[in-house]
Each structure stands twice: as C-alpha cells, then as structure tokens.
C-alpha cells in the first residue's frame, strides 16, 4: 500500500489499460480530465477511446496494440487528450507492457506538456510573422556563428544580391566567400572594422547600423544598409552576431543626383549678379546667395530663421511682408520695382517674387530674385521728363498759333471800332449824351487792345523794335515804377550782378517782363514780404540741354525775380505759361501775365525756368542770349504836336476794306490827299494812274498777292522819293525775321488810334 499511495499522489498520471478498459487510473490523471478514478475504471472500451483527441486516436491505439503484440520496449509519444468538459490538453506518454493480474497490460505514465506545446506554437507563429515582416521590408536576414565561422542567410538575403541559395550553393557561406561574392572591394575595410568591433565589444546590448557598397551578382555596384546585434556567452564572449541588410541603392542614387544638382544650382546661384533668397510661408528667411548676404552684412548661413525686420527699417520690412503675404495668398508671381539702399546709397531694384509649391501644389514659401535697375530707371525718368517738356513746348506752340490767329483778326476789328468811334466822337458835341456812349465804346475797345497785344506777345507775333541795351541800367530805371506797383509792405531788393554784355531786345518787352513778374510776386505775398531782382550770367552746356528740352547751349545773361510768397504746387507750375491759366478769382487775374513773358522770351531766343514750392516762394530765371554788338543810341522821341498833314498824297493799301476806309477817313481829316487800294496790284494801278507826287505809302504787311515790302520796292521804281509806313497786326516772319523790323523802318501796330496814326504818318514823312 505504501507504493500505492506514492503512485496516487505522484505528479505523474498513471493508467493501466487491459482489454480496452482502464484497469487502474491514479488521482492525478483522473482529476486532470475532470473524472473520478472509479468513473474512469467503469468506462467501456469505446468510451475509453473517446478520451483521446480524434486526430491522435489512431496513433495512440496503434501504439498500444503494437505493445501488446510482441514488441516489449518502452515507447514515448506526445498526444492530445480530452477532458470531460471538452478542453484539449497535451501530454507526453511513456508506455510500458506490464503484467497485471497475471496478464499483459499497458501501463502509461502521462505528463502534462500543454504549456510547453503552447509556447512552441507561439514561437512558430512569431517566426512565421518575422519572416513575413522581413520579406515585406525586403530585409535580408543573416546570422554569423563566430565559433563555426559561418554565415547563415534567408532567401531574401540572396534576393538583395540578385541571386538565390541554389545559385550560390546553400544557406551557409564562409565570411571569405561572402566577401568575395558580394562586398565592394573599396568598402572591405569598413566591414572588417565593424566585425572587429563587434567581436571586441564588452557591451551585451551592442548594436550597430552602417552602410557600405556591394557588388550584385550581375556585377553592378550598389549600396546596403546593415543593422546587427551581438550575442554573448556567459563569459562575455561574442559567440554570434545577427542582423538584417536592406538595399538602399535607389535612395543613394537619388541622394547623389540631388547632391549633384544641388551643387550645380549652387554654383549657378552663387555666380549670378542677382540677389536670390527664399522664405517660408511665414516670411522667415530660409536661404540666400552670397550677393544678398553681403548686402545685409551677414553670411548666407546666418540667414536662416531671420526676417526682414532683422535687416531693414520697420516701414520697409512692413512693405516686404505685405508683398510676401499677397504673393503667398494669391499664388501669383509679381515683379515689383522699388527703392533699395543696402549700403546707404539708394538704388532702384526690380524684385521678382514667386511662390514655391510642394508637389501637391500647396504653397510653402517664396523665392525672390532682384537686381539693380537704377540705370534703366534713370533713363526712363529722364525720357519722361524730356517728353513732358517737349509736349509742353508743343502745346505752347499750338496755343500760341491759335491765340495769334485770333488776336490778329480781332485786332483788325478793333481798329475799325476804335477808328469809327473816334470819328463819331468828333462829330457830336461835347454835351451831347451820345458822346458819353461813344466814349464808353472807345475805351472798351482800347482795353481790348491791351488783351490782343498781350496775346500777340505770347504768340511771338507782336511787332518789336529791339535795341542793344544794358540789362542792369534798364532794370534800374524800372525800379521806381515797380516799387509803386508792389506797394510799401513789400521790400524790393535789387542785386545787380556782373553782366558780361548787352542784350538785344525791345526795352518795352523787358519792362513788360518785370512788371508781369513783380505783379505776380506781389499777388503771391499775403501781407509783408520781399521781392528780389538780380542779374548775372549763366553758361548753359550740352549736359544741361540734354535734360531740358527747350534749352540750347551758350553764354546767357540771367535775370532772376524771386519772392517769398505762397509758392506753387507742381500741378500749377505745369500750367502757368498757358494763356488764360489763372488761379486768381474772376476779375482778378487774366492768366495772360506769364504767357506774355513766355512769348517775349521765346521771341528773343531765351529761356525761362521756374522753381517753386508751396509756402516757400518762387523764383523765375530768365536766360537771354548775350549780344555781341554795342549799345545803340536812344531812339528818337516822337513830337506829338506836329501831327497835321499839309496836303501830301498818301497811298493806303489794305485788304481789309473796313480798315482801308477808316484809314482813309482819318487821313483826310488830318488834311492829307488819300489814294485807296485794296490790293497790291490795285495799288500799282492807282499809282501809275496818279499824275502828281505820292509822298507816302501806308501798307499792310501781309497781303495775298505780295507783301508790303515788295509793294514798296515796286512803287519806289515809279516814285523814288516815296516814304513808307508799314502796319500790321502781326508780321509773321514776312517783313523781317521773327517779326523784328529792320532798323529804321516806320511801323504802326494795329489796332491804332486816330492820333497814333497821325503821329506815325507825320514821323514817316519827316524822316
Ligand atoms: P494771373 O496773374 O492773371 O493769374 P499769370 O499768367 O501772370 O496770370 O499767372 C498765372 C498763375 O501762375 C497765377 O494765377 C498764379 O497761380 C501763378 N503764379 C504766377 N507767379 C506766381 C508767383 N510768383 N507765386 C505764386 N504763384 C504764381
Ligand atoms: Mg499775373
């Protein structure tokens, strides 16, 4: 019984089977299956079979039977049993044939191995997974057994080298053979070094990753990345290394290509004169080229992470930031022209900013390129300025022609109005009420005459009698009149300069210029102020002319009139020389003052410049050509007393019939014998038909058939003694160059008054 209790309590399960029935089962095995020992021992042979897992029944049964049929050696088997509740458990079974109750029986010693079996299962499973993972990652697995000095590989290991285990001859290779087959000769030292370190290391967790070149089975070169670990024995010696290889040839090639193109672009970027930079989507600098870095006094590698606020004044940085945001937002490339002063000195640049996009089109930053366009900009500005000046000159020319034409016709009409109103006034008594009306007509017409005179001056069609004169003394003579004109509150300062020579000009024109400019200056000064008149010289060179369309080079005499009045803005300055341009209220300004000045100066081949700033005052500078001749005698003064004729015969030629008649009537009144002709041919006929002497020819200058000058010459053949008096509204280059009369020629400007005519006629006759 001692043995029995031992067996019963054993951790081993023990069963004795005889004739298909369980003759004995210990507690251990019974409880394992969820039975009692008695229960087991009452099972029929068919029920005993049910205790075995269906898949294992045959083996177990065969083994048992074979035991009984002669072979007496013990056997060992692993199989699955079923518990009463259906759970499966693994057992290791030792079978023995024994004598039981005098007959052979099978004794089974049973150990539960379920736990071990499950562990094995799990291991198999994870190995399969590992292998799958390696295949998916295209990893070549290897183990190196240090003791055996052999490499072990998986299939994929060979696939990496573009070969297979069959071709190479199995899954094992010696390190030498491996090196010979697959290592790139140049990288052998790298690998040898890694191996050496792996063997020498004392670190049980040593692991490494490195890259080296290989040779594929087809002879091409490639790259792999190796990651490996070491296994140590309990003495700390490395007995094994294992790891995985990965083909990285493609990545390496991409990297190489990138590096090559990078360096290509780098040389490109560094060698062009343009400035280049990139920024991210928050306007933070990423990179730039040397040229740009130098501008902002850094090196390119100091740039990353900085913004425009680190290099430029706040306002400018704000502007750059705004440009950036717009481009990042709209995705449009923009060309921006702007000022830039990297080293204090200001230049013009053109910046092209273009968004940088990712492959999916998302904007991740921007690229900027800019370069110096100062030269182009300057040329542009100059061209624009010259064009504007030219346009202005052309406009003035056109307006002048128009004004001149109108004034000329208007002048003729005025002559008629003035003449007839004078004649009519003579015929009514002083107390007659009509006399007052006629007086009004007469003075209105006279005022109109002033306007046409100014217009003609502007149009350079006024007739002038230039004299060679000294600028300083002429100005000085005018000072008193000018002082009266501007009033006591305004200082008039006179700075005569050294004037190199005389100018050739009609003195009344110079008076006119001074008066017009001083009146304007006076109007520009609110209460008190100062007007300065100065003279001097100016040399105008070709460079200056290149920038000022209307100027020509030469030596000039300068006349300047400045005031410290209200000044003008640019818009006003642009228009001041146009006739009828005025900023003064209705009835205050005619807008003819400066246009007259302009016309006079042009007629005398001079120029005028104006400098003005609002609230700063204004300076007009007039440049008159220096005259090389001497100063002439003062012209004779007219004796206005002797105006009556003595019956001399006067031939009047004028195509305007009204003026012709008027002139005739005036001259008759002053006791002249008058012959009238409406055209030069008629005049010649009348002259030929006339029997007596003809003392004077009064002729219009511009007429359809021939001009007054020619007519005079023709008549001189018939009447060598004949005197001439020319009259004209304008002279249009016919009587003399640019409306300037030859010296000594008698001339009367239309419109004229009765008295004017009488005086001029007398003068002409008495020459
Ligand atoms: P007007 O004096 O009849 O207005 P002008 O031709 O003399 O005509 O002048 C034209 C305009 O030029 C003036 O209305 C005025 O606006 C401006 N101007 C001329 N001279 C000066 C000056 N010295 N200071 C300020 N503005 C001036
Ligand atoms: Mg004026």
């Amino acid at each position: 019984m001692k043995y029995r209790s031992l067996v019963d309590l054993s951790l081993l399960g023990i069963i004795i089977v005889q004739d298909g029935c369980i003759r004995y089962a210990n507690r251990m095995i019974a409880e394992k299956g969820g039975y009692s020992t008695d229960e087991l021992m009452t099972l029929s042979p068919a029920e005993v079979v049910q205790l075995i897992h269906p898949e294992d029944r045959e083996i177990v049964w065969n083994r048992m039977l074979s035991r009984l049929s002669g072979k007496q050696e013990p056997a060992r088997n692993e199989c699955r049993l079923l518990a009463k509740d259906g759970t499966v458990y693994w057992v290791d079974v030792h079978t023995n044939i024994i004598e039981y109750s005098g007959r052979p029986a099978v004794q089974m010693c049973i150990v539960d191995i379920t736990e071990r079996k499950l562990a094995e299962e799990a291991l198999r499973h994870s190995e399969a997974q590992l292998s799958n993972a390696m295949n998916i990652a295209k990893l070549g697995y290897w183990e190196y057994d240090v003791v055996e000095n052999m490499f072990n590989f998986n299939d994929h290991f060979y696939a990496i080298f573009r070969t297979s285990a069959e071709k190479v001859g199995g899954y094992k290779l010696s390190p030498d053979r491996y090196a010979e087959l697959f290592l790139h000769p140049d990288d052998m030292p790298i690998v040898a070094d890694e191996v050496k370190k792996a063997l020498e290391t004392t670190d049980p967790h040593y692991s490494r990753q490195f890259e080296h070149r290989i040779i594929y089975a087809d002879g091409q070169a490639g790259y792999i990345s190796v990651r490996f670990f070491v296994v140590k024995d309990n003495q700390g010696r490395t007995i094994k290394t294992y790891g995985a290889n990965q083909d990285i040839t493609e990545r390496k090639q991409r990297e190489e290509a990138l590096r090559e193109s990078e360096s290509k672009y780098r040389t490109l970027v560094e060698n062009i004169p343009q400035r280049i930079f990139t920024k991210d989507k928050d306007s933070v600098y990423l990179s730039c080229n040397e040229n740009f870095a130098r501008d902002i006094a850094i090196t390119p590698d100091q740039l990353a992470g900085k913004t425009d606020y680190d290099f430029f004044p706040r306002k400018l940085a704000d502007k750059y930031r705004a440009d950036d945001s717009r481009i990042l937002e709209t995705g449009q490339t923009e060309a921006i022209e702007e000022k830039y002063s990297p080293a204090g000195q200001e230049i013009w640049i053109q910046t092209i900013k273009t968004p940088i996009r990712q492959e999916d089109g998302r904007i991740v930053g921007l690229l900027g390129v800019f370069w110096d366009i100062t030269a182009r900009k300057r040329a542009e500005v100059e061209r624009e300025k010259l064009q504007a000046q030219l346009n202005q000159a052309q406009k003035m020319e056109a307006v002048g022609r128009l004004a001149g034409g109108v004034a000329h016709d208007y002048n003729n009409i005025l002559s008629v109005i003035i003449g007839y109103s004078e004649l009519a006034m003579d015929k009514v008594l002083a107390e007659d009420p009509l006399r007052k009306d006629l007086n009004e007509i007469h003075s209105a017409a006279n005022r109109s005459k002033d306007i046409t005179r100014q217009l003609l001056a502007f149009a350079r069609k006024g007739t002038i009698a230039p004299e060679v004169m000294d600028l300083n003394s002429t100005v000085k003579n005018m000072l008193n009149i000018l002082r009266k004109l501007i009033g006591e509150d305004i200082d008039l300062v006179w700075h005569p300069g050294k004037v190199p020579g005389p100018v050739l000009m009609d003195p009344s024109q110079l008076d006119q210029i001074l008066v017009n400019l001083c009146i304007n200056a006076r109007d520009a000064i609110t209460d008190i102020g100062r007007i300065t008149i100065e003279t001097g010289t100016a040399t105008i060179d070709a460079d200056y002319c290149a920038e000022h369309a209307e100027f020509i080079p030469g030596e000039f005499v300068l006349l300047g009139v400045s005031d410290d009045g209200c000044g003008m803005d640019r818009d006003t300055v642009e228009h001041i020389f146009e006739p009828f341009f005025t900023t003064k209220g209705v009835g205050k300004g005619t807008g003819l003052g400066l246009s007259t000045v302009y016309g006079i100066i042009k007629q005398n081949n001079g120029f005028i410049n104006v400098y003005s700033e609002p609230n700063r005052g204004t300076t007009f500078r007039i440049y008159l050509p220096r005259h090389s001749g001497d100063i002439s005698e003062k012209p004779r003064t007219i004796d206005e007393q002797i105006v009556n004729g003595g019956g001399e015969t006067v031939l009047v030629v004028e195509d305007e019939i009204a003026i012709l008649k008027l002139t005739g009537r005036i001259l008759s009144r002053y006791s002249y014998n008058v012959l009238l002709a409406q055209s030069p041919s008629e005049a010649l006929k009348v002259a030929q038909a006339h029997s007596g002497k003809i003392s004077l020819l009064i002729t219009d200058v511009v007429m359809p058939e021939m001009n007054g000058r020619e007519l005079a010459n023709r008549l001189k053949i018939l009447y060598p003694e004949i005197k001439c008096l020319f009259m004209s509204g304008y002279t249009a280059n016919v009587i003399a160059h640019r409306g300037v009369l030859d010296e000594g020629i008698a001339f009367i400007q239309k419109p004229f008054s009765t008295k004017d005519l009488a005086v001029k006629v007398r003068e002409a006759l008495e020459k």
Side-chain angles (χ1 to χ4, degrees), residues 516 519-520 523 584 593-594:
N516 289 8
I519 288 177
N520 281 346
D523 292 348
K584 296 168 190 172
L594 287 178

Side-chain angles (χ1 to χ4, degrees), residues 516-517 520-521 523-524 563 566-568 572 576 578 581-584 588-595 618 620:
N516 289 8
L517 291 181
N520 281 346
D523 292 348
D563 65 71
C566 62
M568 290 173 272
T572 307
I576 50 174
E578 290 165 20
F581 174 83
T582 177
T583 58
K584 296 168 190 172
K588 283 197 182 133
T590 59
L592 284 170
L594 287 178
S595 42
T618 306
F620 286 93

